[in-house]
Amino acid sequence: MPNQPIPRTATGASTIDKARVLAALRDSGQEARAEFVDRQLPDLIDVDANAGLLRTLGLDVAQLSQ
């Protein structure tokens, strides 16, 4: 399957669907982190603004956006 570009908002910000992030965290057994993300972040996560948090969570944004 070819790589698809990361979705962008009207302002050009890269976004990722929160459901994908939650699924990745839960699949790796990180339920507490998934609950935190679910409470703190919007349904569309701005990748640039939340890059540090996503790195801390050990998530590969490029992989999640495929």
Side-chain angles (χ1 to χ4, degrees):
M1 174 156 83
N3 290 339
Q4 297 176 0
I6 297 172
R8 297 192 180 273
T9 65
T11 62
S14 301
T15 61
I16 191 163
D17 187 9
K18 179 169 69 173
R20 289 178 155 254
V21 172
L22 296 176
L25 291 170
R26 289 183 175 128
D27 287 349
S28 65
Q30 299 182 64
E31 186 64 36
R33 288 183 175 191
E35 289 177 19
F36 171 79
V37 168
D38 197 23
R39 285 191 313 268
Q40 297 297 320
L41 297 178
D43 290 338
L44 279 179
I45 299 170
D46 181 326
V47 173
D48 298 326
N50 293 287
L53 174 60
L54 295 171
R55 272 193 306 274
T56 299
L57 295 171
L59 298 173
D60 180 352
V61 174
Q63 184 179 19
L64 289 174
S65 61
Q66 293 181 2

